[in-house]
Amino acid sequence: MLLEKIEALKAQIETLKADNSEALEALRIKYLSKKGEVSALFNEFRNVPPEHKKEFGQRLNELKTLATDKINSLRERFHSQEADETSHLDLTRPSLPLTVGTRHPLNVVRKQIIDIFSRVGFTLADGPEVEDDLHVFTSLNFAADHPARDMQDTFFVAEDKDDVKRNIVLRSHTSSVQSRVMLTSQPPIRIICPGRVYRNEAITARAHCFFHQIEGLYIDRNVSFADLKQMLLYFAQELFGPDTKIRLRPSYFPFTEPSAEMDVSCMLCGGEGCSFCKHTGWVEILGCGMVDPNVLDLCGIDSSKYTGYAFGVGVERITNLKYMVKDLRMFSENDTRFLEEFQAIH
Ligand code: PHE
C-alpha cells in the first residue's frame, strides 16, 4: 500500500510545472512542508513492519530528494527566465544625448574679424610666437633703448645684454608677422595677422600675460590716411552695427607716423553716455597709423614709391565689448559654464 502511494506520488512529482513564483511556492507547501504529502508518507512509515523498514526508508528518502530537486530545478528555470526578460535589449530606444562642445568665444570673434577683412581682399599671414629681436623690434623702428624692449613688457627667451639685436623673445605684438611679410615680399601687400602675443603683466581681471591680436597691413602706391579711416569705419560698422561711429585720437607707436587710437560710439548707450563708457559716449578699440617710412626702408620697401597703413585689434577687448565679459581670466580658465553661454553664437 505504502509502496503504491510512493510510486503514485513519484509519478505526480515528475510532471510538476509552475508558471510563476506563487505557483511554485504552492507546490513546495503541497509536497514538502511539514503537513505536505511527502511528510505524510514519512508519518505512515512508523507503521511499517521492521523487516521492511530498510527498503521503505530508502524509497521514501529517494522520493523526498526527487521532490526537492524538482522544485529547485523549477525555481532555477523560472529565475533564469525572469532574468532573461529584464535584460531584454530594446534596440529601438533613442541613444543618450551626446554632449557637444562649443566654440571658444575668442575663436568666434577672431573668425568674425577675419571674415570682415577677407571680404575686402585681406589675406591671412602667420608667424612664430618665439621671435627674434629683428622682427619684433628692430625692423619696426624701435630704438635700441626703447622701453618696450624692457623686461617689464617682454618675455625674454634668450637675452644678450651687450647686443639687444641678438635677443630672442615671446612676441609682444603680431606686428612681427607684418615685418616678416615686408622683408620677404613687395607691394601690393594686404594682410591680416591673427595670433597670440605675450606681455609680462600681472594677471588680473583687466590684464593677462598673453592675449590675442589681429593686426592688419596695407601697402601700395598712394595709400592715404583717408583709406585707413574708411577701412576702419567699415570694420567698426560690420562688427558693431551700421549706426556705429568712429573717432581717431592722436597717439604714438614707433612703427607708424602719424599714429592714432580709434574709439567707437558706445554700443550700450549709442553715444549718449553711460556708466559703461564712463559717460564719454566712446570706447577705445584699436591702435593704427600710417606705416613709418623708416619701417618700409628697414624692410626693403621703397618708401619714395609706396605708402601704407597698419592697425592692431585686441581680440579679448572686442569680445569683452561685444559680449560684456567683465573678467579677462574667464577666457583661459576653461569653465564650461562660461563657455556654454556662447553656444548660440557662431
Ligand atoms: N602693435 C600695436 C600694439 O601691439 C598695435 C598697432 C598695430 C598699432 C599697427 C598701430 C599699427 O599695441
Side-chain angles (χ1 to χ4, degrees):
M1 246 175 19
L2 183 58
L3 205 57
E4 280 157 25
K5 281 188 188 164
I6 292 177
E7 288 306 315
L9 211 51
K10 229 176 163 180
Q12 245 184 54
I13 288 172
E14 270 165 358
T15 60
L16 288 183
K17 282 197 181 70
D19 284 341
N20 52 44
S21 40
E22 287 89 56
L24 187 68
E25 182 58 9
L27 289 181
R28 192 192 63 79
I29 291 169
K30 182 169 183 215
Y31 293 102
L32 289 174
S33 69
K34 272 194 180 141
K35 290 183 181 161
E37 297 192 21
V38 177
S39 315
L41 293 188
F42 272 90
N43 290 339
E44 284 186 35
F45 179 68
R46 265 183 255 135
N47 310 326
V48 173
E51 66 272 26
H52 293 302
K53 271 208 159 50
K54 193 172 172 210
E55 189 197 347
F56 277 86
Q58 250 176 17
R59 298 237 178 175
L60 270 175
N61 278 331
E62 277 168 21
L63 178 69
K64 192 175 177 187
T65 315
L66 177 79
T68 316
D69 287 354
K70 181 72 189 179
I71 284 182
N72 284 345
S73 85
L74 280 176
R75 182 175 293 130
E76 254 166 48
R77 196 177 318 152
F78 186 66
H79 272 280
S80 65
Q81 226 174 46
E82 263 183 356
D84 263 6
E85 270 160 27
T86 50
S87 70
H88 180 62
L89 277 181
D90 178 2
L91 297 176
T92 65
R93 280 182 62 182
S95 58
L96 291 173
L98 285 178
T99 43
V100 181
T102 53
R103 281 212 177 91
H104 193 282
L106 292 179
N107 272 338
V108 172
V109 170
R110 176 183 183 271
K111 186 173 178 299
Q112 287 173 358
I113 298 173
I114 292 174
D115 285 350
I116 292 171
F117 286 110
S118 313
R119 288 204 286 278
V120 286
F122 282 81
T123 52
L124 286 177
D126 202 3
E129 292 182 13
V130 179
E131 261 291 13
D132 53 20
D133 178 274
L134 173 73
H135 292 97
V136 182
F137 297 126
T138 300
S139 65
L140 292 167
N141 206 29
F142 281 80
D145 55 357
H146 193 282
R149 294 179 189 240
D150 196 84
M151 285 296 276
Q152 267 146 47
D153 286 310
T154 310
F155 283 114
F156 290 81
V157 176
E159 197 187 4
D160 191 325
K161 290 235 167 24
D162 302 322
D163 185 1
V164 291
K165 291 188 179 140
R166 290 160 58 105
N167 287 340
I168 304 290
V169 301
L170 295 183
R171 67 181 179 194
S172 53
H173 54 182
T174 52
S175 308
S176 56
V177 183
Q178 303 185 358
S179 55
R180 276 186 178 267
V181 173
M182 287 188 279
L183 282 161
T184 52
S185 50
Q186 285 296 312
I189 293 171
R190 188 157 46 187
I191 50 159
I192 46 172
C193 324
R196 180 175 288 182
V197 300
Y198 301 83
R199 288 183 196 176
N200 194 357
E201 304 217 25
I203 299 171
T204 65
R206 300 176 60 87
H208 210 293
C209 60
F210 65 78
F211 60 99
H212 299 80
Q213 278 190 330
I214 300 186
E215 297 214 355
L217 175 71
Y218 177 40
I219 304 173
D220 207 341
R221 288 177 195 272
N222 302 320
V223 176
S224 72
F225 200 88
D227 295 327
L228 169 63
K229 227 177 143 180
Q230 187 57 37
M231 182 57 70
L232 294 178
L233 178 65
Y234 157 79
F235 168 62
Q237 294 188 339
E238 288 290 308
L239 198 61
F240 294 112
D243 296 331
T244 309
K245 294 182 196 62
I246 62 167
R247 79 172 181 189
L248 295 173
R249 283 178 290 106
S251 184
Y252 173 78
F253 299 104
F255 35 91
T256 47
E257 182 59 36
S259 304
E261 261 161 73
M262 184 176 95
D263 299 339
V264 292
S265 48
C266 176
M267 50 291 291
L268 278 194
C269 63
E272 299 277 304
C274 66
S275 61
F276 184 70
C277 58
K278 300 197 186 83
H279 302 282
T280 61
W282 298 96
V283 284
E284 182 192 321
I285 70 159
L286 57 79
C288 60
M290 299 306 290
V291 181
D292 192 307
N294 273 349
V295 172
L296 295 177
D297 293 333
L298 283 167
C299 291
I301 293 173
D302 186 346
S303 63
S304 65
K305 274 200 212 154
Y306 298 108
T307 51
Y309 63 67
F311 54 85
V313 202
V315 181
E316 278 82 350
R317 172 98 185 122
I318 301 289
T319 312
N320 287 352
L321 294 178
K322 281 200 78 153
Y323 304 116
M324 306 295 155
V325 180
K326 295 235 172 65
D327 190 332
L328 260 184
R329 291 169 289 196
M330 305 270 256
F331 291 126
S332 46
E333 278 171 358
N334 285 336
D335 186 333
T336 50
R337 291 168 304 179
F338 168 70
L339 298 174
E340 277 163 10
E341 287 187 35
F342 296 85
Q343 208 147 24
I345 303 164
H346 296 290

